[in-house]
Amino acid sequence: MVTNTSQEAIDLDAPWISQEDLPVEKYQIVDEDGGYDPDDVPDLEETEFLDLYRWMLVEKRYAERMIKLQRRGQMGTVGSSRGHEASIVGSGYALQDGDWLLGMGRETSAMLQRGVSLRDIILFWRGVEDAQRFLTEQNCMIGISVGGYLPMTTGVGWGMNLTDTDAVVTAHFGDGATSTGAFHEAVNFAGVLDAPAIFYCQNNQWAISTPFEKQTNANSIAQRGLGYGVHGIRVDGNDVLAVYDAMREARELARAGHPVLFEALTYRTEGHSTSDDPTEYRGREEVEEWLERDPIERYESFLKSEGLWDAVDKEALVAEVDEEFSAAVEAADAYGPRDVDELFEYVYEDLPPILRGQLDEMEGDLEDLDDLEAYIERRPKG
Amino acid sequence: MAETIINAINMALREEMERDDGVVVFGEDVAETGGVFRATEGLKEQFGGDRVVDTPLSEIAIAGGAVGLAVFGLRPVAEIQFSGFLPPAFDQLVTHASRIRWRTRGQWSAPMVVRTPYGAGIRALEHHSESLEGAYAHVPGLQVVIPSTPYDTKGLLKSAIRSPDPVLFMEPKHIYRSVREDVPDDDYEVPIGEAAVRREGEDVTVISWGAMMQKTLEAVDRIDADAEVIDLRTISPMDRETVVESVKKTGRCVVVHEAPYSGGWASEIIATINDEVLMYLEAPVERITGYDIPVPLLSMEDYYIPHPPRIAAGIEDVLDY
Ligand SMILES: Cc1ncc(C[n+]2csc(CCOP(=O)(O)OP(=O)(O)O)c2C)c(N)n1
């Protein structure tokens, strides 16, 4: 078999451009060893620096405890966000009231920062329809079709322009999403419309078993922005300060009519989801290497250097965060009781006669048919 | 040996790849890990990375790429990880795969298979549970096949791969591993376009397919009647003759599917019966289907699925008419 490879060097006369003409830098404030230039540190209050830390603990404990709940059968399939803490928290922290966040499910604390409640996130992963209703009250949504909601993101930004709304919309998605047709049309269209949209890619190196190198021949996600005439940036996604700082700027750019393609370089340290076994497709060494760059530890070293660590009682913080999580689980357990008519709600604004009839029939069947209920086990809890 | 539907898919792919060098298997996560359901497990090891390919997350390009491979003379078997992610690829199936023979007046064709798990019952996330076979069956030129047993799965998938025209092969993932039967190692085909009579009977014809087949058989066991059970197996082009002959004999018919009621494939079956054997009917044809709502999320999805008590009640209604 002949392989037509793009790797060969060939002599050319005409002025081709290639991605090698465009070195893409990685924006970083605190490096892997915890070193940084104090001049680069974003101008935040002490409490804000501490806040960022607390949010990362929230994200981490959330991820760990959701997996445990899943293993105990109290949760549907979930994906861990371990490793993404800085990328999620830094991006969320830069957003403001009135901003929109459309996500894929790996951005919990950014949604909590927008005002979503943890109970509702838990309900979402238990497959309770109402959860998304609560999320949208905070201008948030989770889209399961990868990349599918990106064109809609552009539309929201367009709407902000048409109505002189001073806000931005961000779509959070993974590296896999950048291979979908929807991604390309969305970013291109946003550029044409000057939409205040931030396309926020958490490039965690893997889309289930597909590594980034097999997802695209491009060296970075960020560089693709150029092809669409929008700003692009590649940020160390394990450096919460760099993410926050760049996202703050991204927000300014977007508000000024320059959509942004933001690539946060991070790593999914666990399986894609609870139904995935990552040892089948990647080596331990690679994971270890990234575990060394743990975003929370890196930020801890920063807080220590800044003399802010004394103000942190980590154990107490974790206990507090855990308690919040437990309370949220309790609230989720208590959610309901739920009735079958809610399955027919919201399909249309008004229930059309045919649905009314089907609902009546369903209710009648549940009442009349002996063991129908036995076929309808309700697991996991909702 | 007793095999599952998943094993049968794997056997069919392996044997077809051995038989024909042109068969290329690709899709998201199919090569390294053998797919999220392990349908393609071991194929990359046996046939190498040129013929078993992990693709980017690109449903449009997966389906459209298959059309390109096919017109170039290869035999692509693409996987769309869940049928809920077919909609972006739908354009490629409608606009190109199904029409390329027609457009080029037979010069080019698209002998390709798109495999995809469909249906509810595995407590997955949104978009992982729909049954939209009726929508796909509505596309002229596209064959839509849904097996319900391991034996048929192997034979139908082989026929699909050998078919000169495009096939959408929808796999009832709810019963991927729960139904077992002997699947011979031999090379055999189950022809596309032929329904199977699963049980012969005189009193009523019950038609179903895919994951609903098991539920239908269970329902039939619960009632005191001699039911004839037809597994449609190919949604399009449909085996009208088997349906018509059976209804001629029984005079009564029930159609069971998981897809929504309105515009579901049952509508087409009923229209066929009206066209061909209306005068033989002793009762209106009944359909037991999903409701006209999006499949509920995992906490309540079981309310949606037509379970045996509902199916049995529907059949009894028709018998008592
Ligand atoms: C359109 C579409 N195709 C396939 C899937 C199945 N699927 C769910 S997540 C996933 C990988 C996503 O990878 P990425 O976008 O990198 O995000 P990550 O999960 O790594 O954060 C796939 C293939 C899907 N949900 N949507």
Side-chain angles (χ1 to χ4, degrees):
Chain A
M1 175 167 179
V2 181
T3 310
N4 298 310
T5 154
S6 53
Q7 312 298 330
E8 279 164 51
I10 7 172
D11 256 344
L12 300 168
D13 294 326
W16 298 98
I17 51 168
S18 84
Q19 58 179 341
E20 272 58 48
D21 299 324
L22 174 89
V24 179
E25 283 173 37
K26 180 172 80 175
Y27 182 59
Q28 194 177 50
I29 291 176
V30 180
D31 69 26
E32 282 77 0
D33 303 321
Y36 60 96
D37 179 344
D39 291 343
D40 296 339
V41 173
D43 186 21
L44 287 170
E45 305 282 332
E46 195 177 310
T47 50
E48 294 174 310
F49 282 119
L50 296 175
D51 237 14
L52 285 173
Y53 183 67
R54 188 180 188 283
W55 277 118
M56 285 203 281
L57 290 182
V58 170
E59 186 63 45
K60 179 176 183 209
R61 286 304 290 154
Y62 162 82
E64 291 168 343
R65 293 195 54 185
M66 287 293 274
I67 303 279
K68 275 200 196 135
L69 284 180
Q70 198 280 338
R71 304 247 188 269
R72 276 194 241 128
Q74 292 172 25
M75 189 61 65
T77 308
V78 278
S80 167
S81 56
R82 284 291 291 115
H84 290 226
E85 291 88 352
S87 156
I88 298 169
V89 169
S91 63
Y93 206 67
L95 298 179
Q96 304 284 326
D97 286 351
D99 289 349
W100 285 48
L101 195 164
L102 310 178
M104 53 84 79
R106 269 193 232 283
E107 54 282 290
T108 298
S109 42
M111 290 200 174
L112 299 180
Q113 288 166 357
R114 310 252 40 69
V116 170
S117 89
L118 193 49
R119 179 199 72 164
D120 299 339
I121 301 269
I122 293 169
L123 288 177
F124 175 86
W125 294 107
R126 283 184 171 176
V128 174
E129 282 79 4
D130 268 348
Q132 291 262 33
R133 185 157 67 85
F134 303 134
L135 260 58
T136 49
E137 283 167 8
Q138 313 299 333
N139 302 337
C140 291
M141 187 193 83
I142 297 176
I144 295 298
S145 182
V146 170
Y149 51 94
L150 271 54
M152 159 181 168
T153 306
T154 299
V156 170
W158 186 7
M160 287 171 174
N161 279 347
L162 291 178
T163 55
D164 288 325
T165 303
D166 183 17
V168 305
V169 54
T170 152
H172 278 56
F173 51 88
D175 37 308
T178 66
S179 298
T180 62
F183 165 84
H184 297 276
E185 295 198 20
V187 181
N188 185 57
F189 199 21
V192 170
L193 294 164
D194 299 335
I198 300 170
F199 295 93
Y200 188 80
C201 178
Q202 298 198 66
N203 179 354
N204 66 9
Q205 316 301 321
W206 291 90
I208 311 188
S209 73
T210 306
F212 182 61
E213 319 80 80
K214 281 205 196 169
Q215 197 60 248
T216 173
N217 197 42
N219 291 336
S220 72
I221 303 291
Q223 71 192 72
R224 293 177 157 187
L226 279 196
Y228 300 119
V230 309
H231 287 66
I233 192 166
R234 180 173 245 216
V235 178
D236 184 333
N238 282 13
D239 174 1
V240 71
L241 293 180
V243 172
Y244 165 75
D245 197 47
M247 193 66 171
R248 196 184 44 75
E249 290 191 359
R251 196 176 175 280
E252 290 317 304
L253 277 166
R255 285 174 64 224
H258 306 288
V260 165
L261 177 54
F262 194 122
E263 176 183 14
L265 215 51
T266 182
Y267 193 77
R268 155 164 74 69
T269 56
E270 300 196 356
H272 166 77
S273 73
T274 41
S275 25
D276 172 48
D277 174 9
T279 60
E280 284 189 18
Y281 52 80
R282 69 185 186 191
R284 192 63 213 163
E285 244 168 63
E286 177 189 308
V287 183
E288 297 285 343
E289 223 173 88
W290 277 91
L291 285 171
E292 294 285 299
R293 303 178 212 168
D294 183 77
I296 298 182
E297 281 169 27
R298 192 180 318 171
Y299 193 54
E300 282 174 2
S301 77
F302 166 82
L303 292 176
K304 283 172 190 159
S305 311
E306 287 288 305
L308 292 169
W309 187 245
D310 292 341
V312 178
D313 180 346
K314 187 172 179 180
E315 236 173 81
L317 265 185
V318 171
E320 191 183 303
V321 162
D322 269 351
E323 218 166 284
E324 281 173 19
F325 187 89
S326 300
V329 174
E330 257 174 58
D333 287 348
Y335 188 76
R338 305 172 57 212
D339 212 350
V340 291
D341 60 359
E342 82 177 55
L343 303 178
F344 288 75
E345 251 181 280
Y346 305 109
V347 183
Y348 305 96
E349 182 166 324
D350 298 318
L351 196 67
I354 183 154
L355 286 198
R356 175 80 256 161
Q358 291 181 9
L359 171 56
D360 290 345
E361 214 176 290
M362 181 195 262
E363 286 175 332
D365 285 348
L366 285 167
E367 226 174 271
D368 301 342
L369 302 178
D370 286 347
D371 53 349
L372 184 55
E373 200 70 64
Y375 279 89
I376 303 172
E377 323 142 69
R378 296 178 63 180
R379 172 182 55 107
K381 283 185 73 150
Chain B
M1 213 184 98
E3 304 284 355
T4 60
I5 290 180
I6 273 287
N7 295 346
I9 294 163
N10 192 269
M11 287 169 86
L13 292 172
R14 194 181 299 275
E15 289 175 25
E16 288 308 291
M17 291 187 83
E18 278 166 354
R19 193 187 57 81
D20 178 351
D21 285 347
V23 177
V24 183
V25 167
F26 55 97
E28 293 156 20
D29 306 294
V30 302
E32 276 332 306
T33 63
V36 295
F37 292 105
R38 304 291 175 264
T40 52
E41 194 152 48
L43 297 181
K44 185 184 172 201
E45 288 70 17
Q46 185 174 346
F47 300 101
D50 286 337
R51 291 181 64 198
V52 186
V53 182
D54 278 330
T55 66
L57 208 162
S58 306
E59 280 77 12
I60 299 173
I62 292 168
V67 180
L69 283 169
V71 300
F72 195 72
L74 291 153
R75 289 275 167 167
V77 184
E79 176 180 302
I80 296 290
Q81 204 163 75
F82 289 92
S83 65
F85 311 122
L86 260 176
F90 189 51
D91 171 44
Q92 294 299 317
L93 296 181
V94 176
T95 308
H96 300 290
S98 69
R99 311 172 60 98
I100 199 85
R101 178 186 296 284
W102 180 87
R103 180 188 302 150
T104 63
R105 310 322 287 164
Q107 290 301 298
W108 288 355
S109 61
M112 56 182 267
V113 181
V114 173
R115 295 179 34 242
T116 190
Y118 87 100
I122 67 156
R123 298 175 194 284
L125 293 162
E126 197 184 351
H127 309 303
H128 288 65
S129 311
E130 286 66 22
S131 323
L132 290 179
E133 65 271 20
Y136 300 109
H138 197 66
V139 179
L142 188 63
Q143 304 170 91
V144 180
V145 174
I146 302 184
S148 78
T149 68
Y151 180 91
D152 278 4
T153 298
K154 179 175 163 187
L156 282 166
L157 185 51
K158 278 173 167 273
S159 298
I161 294 170
R162 297 175 196 183
S163 169
D165 289 303
V167 176
L168 177 61
F169 195 82
M170 301 179 75
E171 301 166 1
K173 65 177 180 290
H174 187 37
I175 55 169
Y176 258 163
R177 293 196 161 80
S178 59
V179 190
R180 281 183 180 269
E181 77 182 338
D182 283 344
V183 176
D185 279 331
D186 318 351
D187 181 27
Y188 67 93
E189 285 182 69
V190 172
I192 292 173
E194 280 185 22
V197 178
R198 292 280 172 227
R199 196 168 292 185
E200 291 195 28
E202 302 288 332
D203 299 342
V204 56
T205 302
V206 188
I207 303 171
S208 189
W209 53 87
M212 286 303 104
M213 207 55 230
Q214 298 304 318
K215 300 215 178 243
T216 298
L217 290 170
E218 203 184 316
V220 164
D221 281 340
R222 297 160 69 102
I223 54 172
D224 186 23
D226 187 19
E228 177 142 305
V229 178
I230 294 178
D231 182 346
L232 207 53
R233 299 197 294 199
T234 297
I235 307 304
S236 175
M238 177 165 73
D239 179 353
R240 293 160 63 101
E241 203 181 313
T242 298
V243 170
V244 161
E245 287 310 312
S246 176
V247 176
K248 233 186 214 173
K249 178 171 69 171
T250 62
R252 299 174 197 268
C253 183
V254 175
V255 186
V256 183
H257 65 59
E258 195 181 319
Y261 174 90
S262 299
W265 198 248
S267 323
E268 183 60 31
I269 296 172
I270 294 169
T272 301
I273 292 170
N274 281 347
D275 285 348
E276 308 281 336
V277 277
L278 182 68
M279 302 314 282
Y280 290 82
L281 284 183
E282 290 175 46
V285 181
E286 171 92 15
R287 40 188 156 156
I288 318 288
T289 70
Y291 306 97
D292 290 347
I293 59 176
V295 183
L297 301 183
L298 63 101
S299 68
M300 289 178 86
E301 74 173 326
D302 279 311
Y303 282 94
Y304 177 89
I305 299 169
H307 294 293
R310 244 185 95 200
I311 301 170
I315 299 172
E316 275 165 349
D317 282 351
V318 169
L319 288 164
D320 294 345
Y321 183 81

